[in-house]
Amino acid sequence: MRQTIHFKLFATVAMCSIFIIGASGFIVGASARVSKAPKAMKGSKSSKDGKNSKGMWYEDDFVVNLVPKFKIKDGMTEQFMAVVPDFFDLVKANEQDTCVHYGFVGPTEDGYIICREGYTSAEGVTFHLDNVGDVLNKALQYADIVELQVQGPPEELEKLKGPLAVFGPTYYPLSEGSFRSKSS
């Protein structure tokens, strides 16, 4: 019986993270202190310059993200969703040099839909707004923008404060040292 208790105690301690207060003042688990780099993807070899055999590398993140959150008006989901392909068509046709990603998420059961959009610069954002302005005005017949997040390099966010003021956005400056991966 005594061996069973000791084994259970050992197993419990071995499976739990040991928490300590780190230099930052936050609780740090053992897994955070003993972290390892993730294994490379099967069939790829990493090198010291950040490239691997699949042609991936890491670069500074410069993307300006817009995240408008729409609340679809009661009974207008079908009409709003019918406008979404018009956004896609305009972006694909006219923004290949400035748009990094573009898509909609939702709608949720309670009538929210989010657009996830990223651009190479503040100028890319303003070009986008000019490009889709008529379609956006049509969409706003069926939904309201209830929140707008603008995320990106601080100098790019500054350029957008005037053009986006009408939407009352919240600006989130990108932290120095942020990066993204890119295929070559």
Side-chain angles (χ1 to χ4, degrees):
M1 182 168 198
R2 188 173 181 167
Q3 284 181 318
T4 303
I5 293 172
H6 286 215
F7 177 74
K8 286 181 181 178
L9 178 62
F10 173 77
T12 302
V13 170
M15 293 178 69
C16 294
S17 294
I18 300 169
F19 293 97
I20 61 169
I21 303 296
S24 63
F26 292 102
I27 296 176
V28 179
S31 60
R33 292 190 319 275
V34 189
S35 62
K36 295 181 180 179
K39 293 182 179 180
M41 294 184 336
K42 189 175 181 179
S44 69
K45 295 179 183 177
S46 295
S47 66
K48 290 183 181 182
D49 66 359
K51 292 184 180 180
N52 66 28
S53 63
K54 298 236 182 246
M56 299 291 289
W57 75 92
Y58 295 92
E59 62 184 9
D60 290 342
D61 188 359
F62 57 83
V63 175
V64 179
N65 290 301
L66 290 186
V67 188
K69 182 178 183 180
F70 297 87
K71 173 64 173 154
I72 300 173
K73 297 174 183 175
D74 289 338
M76 299 286 183
T77 301
E78 215 172 285
Q79 292 91 329
F80 183 89
M81 294 308 293
V83 175
V84 169
D86 297 339
F87 284 107
F88 292 143
D89 292 342
L90 285 169
V91 171
K92 284 179 184 177
N94 302 308
E95 299 181 33
Q96 58 270 39
D97 294 332
T98 57
C99 184
V100 177
H101 61 87
Y102 191 84
F104 286 86
V105 180
T108 62
E109 291 178 12
D110 53 352
Y112 290 97
I113 188 164
I114 293 172
C115 187
R116 300 172 56 246
E117 34 189 311
Y119 302 93
T120 57
S121 65
E123 292 78 15
V125 171
T126 56
F127 180 81
H128 169 72
L129 293 174
D130 288 340
N131 184 38
V132 301
D134 291 340
V135 176
L136 178 59
N137 286 330
K138 185 176 180 180
L140 291 175
Q141 295 174 28
Y142 312 118
D144 296 310
I145 296 176
V146 295
E147 180 183 359
L148 176 62
Q149 293 183 15
V150 186
Q151 309 157 356
E155 61 277 6
E156 296 299 309
L157 299 184
E158 277 303 314
K159 298 176 191 176
L160 292 169
K161 289 187 176 178
L164 297 179
V166 68
F167 298 108
T170 303
Y171 294 94
Y172 293 90
L174 192 61
S175 298
E176 190 174 326
S178 296
F179 63 92
R180 67 188 200 115
S181 62
K182 184 173 180 174
S183 297
S184 60

